[in-house]
Amino acid sequence: MDRRQFIRNSTVALTSLTSAEAARAVTEQQETAAGGSASGAVGRPVRAVSIGFTPGPSLERIAGLVDKEGARGADLIALPETFRGQDDRTPETLDGPTISALARLAEKHRTYIVAPIDRQDGDRRLNSAVILDRRGRIAGVYDKLYPFWVDEFTRHPTVQPGQNVTVISTDFGRLGVAICFDVNWAPLWQRLSDFGAELVIWPSAYSAGRTLQARAIDFSYYVMSATWVPDCLVFDIDGEQLVHEKANSGDFNITRFVFDLDRCIFHQDLNRPARIAKLLKERGDDVEEEKWLPMEGCFVLKAKRPGVSARALSRQYGMEERRPYLNRSRTEVDKARGWQFS
């Protein structure tokens, strides 16, 4: 495959909901679109947990931590890159011991789990992140697009590059995944944006820091890491670093964070001052301007009370979020260049 073309291949994986769950999800989405909330919570909260550690602990010990965090009521638990290791003995299939054990815990606690493994798929070896849904079923698999060739290409068998960018539709929103060395290629992260990712989980061997922050800044989604360091970084939809936690002692770093996927970011163009002023004047008890970033020309809105969607209200007032605005701007400029696309 032409190296300039392969990034264009993408998958949008739909989580395997039952008919009842699917109907409930549609109902909640409809209520949110109308400015309501099915759960009674403020915004669209997602309770996420990052468990960081260097590969080496037993599966029993890792499962024990996941069990404990699941019992606390997590919606999503993320583990580090190839957390069972990556040597001659570690490749395993999707029905192997690691995914089987974590699937039972996902079902037990009704939580999503991002479980990266050294994956055997026929005669291929892949660095994969397996996404388990609340029923313990595989909602999607992301294969690392950019293996760390200095190391992973020297293994036997060689780790093969993945082919697809993956975004999963969950019952709380759209979840994207990228792995470690992937952080260096912005087109991959652009594709996550194109498919509507609201939160990107990044399992990794290292922290990345400002490189990871740049992806959140560029594409206006949350980013949460789970690393070997072990540490966890959380970046806001405007790129602000919200969390950096690192284990001071012991083998594990556990970071818990609640994301509000209803929070939304706007460019000031077309939205300020008239539209935002009208929204806040008429619905100031419902939403607030949480952040104003004058140098970037951006602002963030959030809901203030249950039963309100900041995103839905902003649309009612003719406002356009930053990500679709920039996409539309690119299209308009391309038209001016004479580049016509369907």
Side-chain angles (χ1 to χ4, degrees):
M1 182 181 294
D2 189 306
R3 66 183 176 88
R4 295 170 297 179
Q5 300 295 325
F6 87 97
I7 190 66
R8 297 181 183 178
N9 292 341
S10 303
T11 60
V12 181
L14 299 177
T15 187
S16 49
L17 298 175
T18 66
S19 297
E21 289 171 328
R24 183 168 63 251
V26 169
T27 299
E28 292 180 356
Q29 290 168 3
Q30 290 171 340
E31 291 179 350
T32 299
S37 172
S39 66
V42 176
R44 185 151 44 98
V46 180
R47 298 161 296 181
V49 180
S50 165
I51 303 178
F53 55 92
T54 303
S58 67
L59 178 57
E60 182 180 11
R61 189 175 184 194
I62 296 164
L65 286 174
V66 172
D67 192 19
K68 182 178 179 180
E69 293 304 315
R72 293 173 63 98
D75 294 300
L76 173 66
I77 299 173
L79 297 165
E81 178 183 21
T82 55
F83 64 86
R84 298 293 312 282
Q86 195 181 39
D87 56 34
D88 294 343
R89 300 166 298 172
T90 54
E92 60 178 291
T93 60
L94 292 176
D95 59 357
T98 300
I99 299 305
S100 297
L102 294 177
R104 290 190 290 271
L105 294 174
E107 181 179 22
K108 175 182 177 182
H109 297 296
R110 310 289 288 182
T111 185
Y112 289 87
I113 299 176
V114 177
I117 61 170
D118 183 12
R119 184 163 77 96
Q120 187 71 39
D121 180 31
D123 59 357
R124 296 188 305 158
R125 184 181 193 177
L126 299 155
N127 183 333
S128 301
V130 181
I131 301 94
L132 299 166
D133 69 12
R134 296 189 196 270
R135 292 281 187 176
R137 295 171 297 195
I138 295 173
V141 179
Y142 169 68
D143 302 319
K144 186 178 181 181
L145 263 67
Y146 290 96
F148 182 46
W149 60 276
V150 174
D151 178 60
E152 293 185 282
F153 283 4
T154 64
R155 298 185 179 276
H156 301 285
T158 297
V159 176
Q160 299 296 311
Q163 300 295 321
N164 300 314
V165 172
T166 301
V167 175
I168 305 298
S169 290
T170 73
D171 57 14
F172 56 73
R174 298 182 70 77
L175 177 68
V177 180
I179 298 174
C180 199
F181 206 40
D182 286 339
V183 75
N184 295 289
W185 284 271
L188 186 164
W189 296 76
Q190 173 70 62
R191 296 300 281 166
L192 290 170
S193 171
D194 290 343
F195 283 97
E198 298 173 286
L199 167 62
V200 176
I201 296 297
W202 186 68
S204 179
Y206 78 120
S207 300
R210 285 178 288 184
T211 311
L212 194 63
Q213 182 179 35
R215 304 305 170 223
I217 292 171
D218 285 344
F219 303 114
S220 302
Y221 38 51
Y222 293 105
V223 179
M224 184 183 211
S225 68
T227 76
W228 294 1
V229 173
D231 70 350
C232 173
L233 280 160
V234 175
F235 292 105
D236 201 353
I237 56 176
D238 66 342
E240 180 186 355
Q241 180 180 303
L242 300 176
V243 171
H244 183 205
E245 293 185 351
K246 182 177 180 180
N248 293 320
S249 61
D251 301 325
F252 295 91
N253 176 77
I254 299 176
T255 295
R256 306 178 188 97
F257 191 86
V258 179
F259 296 92
D260 178 1
L261 298 190
D262 185 60
R263 289 174 72 250
C264 39
I265 185 168
F266 302 82
H267 200 284
Q268 66 176 347
D269 295 351
L270 308 182
N271 294 310
R272 285 183 89 93
R275 292 176 181 175
I276 180 63
K278 180 177 172 60
L279 169 61
L280 295 177
K281 180 180 179 180
E282 296 179 359
R283 302 297 296 269
D285 292 335
D286 297 322
V287 296
E288 65 177 324
E289 183 179 88
E290 184 188 26
K291 292 184 180 182
W292 163 234
L293 307 168
M295 289 192 292
E296 293 82 2
C298 293
F299 59 96
V300 175
L301 291 182
K302 66 174 291 187
K304 294 174 65 175
R305 64 178 182 84
V308 172
S309 166
R311 282 185 155 169
L313 270 181
S314 69
R315 289 194 295 271
Q316 291 177 20
Y317 280 75
M319 296 170 62
E320 184 176 29
E321 293 181 48
R322 178 178 181 268
R323 184 157 51 176
Y325 169 64
L326 293 181
N327 288 339
R328 188 163 64 90
S329 298
R330 180 176 56 186
T331 299
E332 293 301 319
V333 173
D334 285 348
K335 287 180 182 177
R337 300 181 198 276
W339 300 349
Q340 298 296 323
F341 298 99
S342 60

